Structures are given as C-alpha cells and as structure tokens.
Amino acid sequence: MTHLKDLPFSTLQFYATAPYPCSYVEHRQARSQVATPSHLINADVYSELVKNGFRRSGIFTYRPHCDGCNACTPVRVKVSEFIPNRSQRRAWAKHQNLIAWVTTLAYIPEHYDLYLRYQAARHAGGGMDQDSRDQYAQFLLQSKVNTRLVEFRDPDQTLRMVSIIDVLDDGLSSVYTFYDPDEPGASYGTYNVLWQIQQAKSLDIAYLYLGYWIAESTKMAYKINFHPIEALRHGKWDAL
C-alpha cells in the first residue's frame, strides 16, 4: 500500500471538524481531518496513515486541516543517517544512568502523578494540567495499534520520564512524552528522542516520526534540531 486510496477498507472515511482554538499558534482557529471508523484502523492501516501525515490521540486519528494555514508540518528523522550535535551528545551522556522499562499500556498512579506535575509546570493553563484520571487514560492509554509504554527510572527507582510510542511498519511514532519538570539541569526531552532513535536503529526500521514541526511554536520548533529530518509537503517527504 502506498496511497490512502489503496487502503483495504472501502468504508474508511474522512471528515473535517468544526473550527476550534489552536493550541500552538495564538489567535488562530484550527480544524482537523479525522479518519473513521476507529475500529478499522489497525496497525497496518495506521502505519499508512502516519506516512500521510496523520497522528493519533487515544483512538482518535487525525491530521491538521486548517483554513488558510499550513503551520503544522509532519516530520520524521532518518535514523540510519542521524548524527547528534554537541548539545545532544551532552544530553545523552548526562542521562546514561536512566533505566528504561518497556511495557504494555496500563494505568499506574505514579505515572499519572508525574503527568499532572509535568502539565502544571510546562503547560499551565492549557487544560491538560487539570486532566482527570479518565481523561489521562483516554489520551494516552487507549490504542488499537501496536503501542508501547516506556518508563525511565534512576538507579534508585525514582520515576523520571514516561513515553508512549507506536510501532509502525517503517518506523516508530513518538506519541507523547512527559517527564520530571523539577530536576535542575535535566535534558529529559532531548534524551528521550535520542533513545527512540537508538531503538529504531536497533529494530532496523527507517524512521522516527516526531509529529508536527511548527516553526511559530516554541513547544514544537525543537524538532528541527534532529538531523537529517524530512518533512511531508504536498504529499511528498523531502529534506527539511
């Protein structure tokens, strides 16, 4: 399968949402194109959708479909050619003591507590810092594709970071990561992307999909620092 029209389910449909406030660029309205029905989006279909710029939030599979705005650009790292820069090498060395445990999706109160602390520190006022246990579970712990939960702990078993990662047919898709926001001098976010790149290399798969790069958003602009990186534009993946 190389195109959406080649998907094996003739009943897969796409619809556009009503406008809603953009989470990344102030004073703009956003819309999403949603793929339905969700029960037909298995691991193979989802892999093809990601190649065409889709992401997921729980069982909600979408891509930006905004009126008059193309700020959200899907990006992926070519892991076989990736070379870390100086600051990335420092981040990698700094957190070599972290121990990663890969598990299936499950609710763990310790994870939820870390999630709320992260949201309160990094995204205060965005609404997610008030997420209930059910909202957290719907966002991160519901999946119909091949998903892994990875927790990162210090040698003393202190939880420092949690990642949700989807395994695709040609790469890994970084769904969401949250980490200890109170550790001085930590570079958990950078280390986590580097760890996922290493995992993709070890699995002999080509890409790490990082979601959307948004030049105008400080929350999303960092992704361009991982080279070489490709962007999906006008239906084609090219170097960014």
Side-chain angles (χ1 to χ4, degrees):
M1 296 185 297
T2 57
H3 302 286
L4 287 180
K5 64 182 176 61
D6 298 324
L7 292 172
F9 302 110
S10 60
T11 53
L12 198 64
Q13 298 179 353
F14 304 88
Y15 71 89
T17 67
Y20 55 88
C22 180
S23 300
Y24 301 107
V25 183
E26 290 187 8
H27 312 303
R28 290 193 190 174
Q29 292 287 296
R31 299 177 74 194
S32 295
Q33 184 182 50
V34 181
T36 61
S38 61
H39 69 272
L40 294 183
I41 302 176
N42 60 21
D44 290 337
V45 173
Y46 184 64
S47 291
E48 193 62 29
L49 288 169
V50 171
K51 293 175 193 175
N52 284 272
F54 283 81
R55 299 282 290 166
R56 71 172 186 85
S57 175
I59 60 173
F60 177 80
T61 305
Y62 69 95
R63 65 181 173 186
H65 190 69
C66 302
D67 300 320
C69 179
N70 295 301
C72 295
T73 304
V75 291
R76 66 187 187 185
V77 179
K78 296 182 70 173
V79 300
S80 64
E81 300 176 22
F82 173 73
I83 300 175
N85 62 29
R86 190 173 184 178
S87 64
Q88 290 164 352
R89 291 195 297 270
R90 286 198 300 266
W92 182 255
K94 182 184 298 183
H95 297 302
Q96 281 299 293
N97 65 326
L98 290 178
I99 301 167
W101 299 90
V102 182
T103 69
T104 55
L105 298 179
Y107 175 79
I108 297 175
E110 187 181 15
H111 294 176
Y112 177 54
D113 291 342
L114 179 62
Y115 172 83
L116 291 179
R117 285 203 296 121
Y118 171 81
Q119 295 295 345
R122 297 303 176 101
H123 305 290
M128 295 172 71
D129 52 336
Q130 302 296 322
D131 275 2
S132 67
R133 171 177 167 172
D134 286 344
Q135 289 171 313
Y136 164 78
Q138 289 170 9
F139 174 38
L140 294 179
L141 304 182
Q142 290 189 5
S143 173
K144 294 183 178 295
V145 298
N146 190 0
T147 304
R148 297 290 182 270
L149 184 152
V150 188
E151 60 173 36
F152 297 81
R153 295 181 181 271
D154 284 341
D156 66 0
Q157 291 300 299
T158 300
L159 179 67
R160 295 299 185 187
M161 182 163 52
V162 175
S163 280
I164 309 296
I165 303 169
D166 290 335
V167 182
L168 311 176
D169 60 11
D170 70 338
L172 300 179
S173 176
S174 184
V175 177
Y176 200 77
T177 295
F178 54 95
Y179 48 82
D180 186 344
D182 303 318
E183 186 71 10
S187 300
Y188 292 130
T190 297
Y191 174 82
N192 185 268
V193 174
L194 297 173
W195 186 88
Q196 292 187 46
I197 289 172
Q198 287 298 115
Q199 288 297 299
K201 285 183 177 179
S202 69
L203 294 170
D204 196 26
I205 47 183
Y207 302 106
L208 173 63
Y209 289 85
L210 289 178
Y212 304 116
W213 169 67
I214 306 172
E216 300 171 64
S217 170
T218 55
K219 298 177 183 178
M220 308 293 273
Y222 73 91
K223 299 174 184 183
I224 202 172
N225 296 322
F226 296 88
H227 298 287
I229 194 164
E230 294 183 339
L232 179 63
R233 288 173 169 164
H234 309 295
K236 183 180 179 181
W237 288 96
D238 284 313
L240 179 63

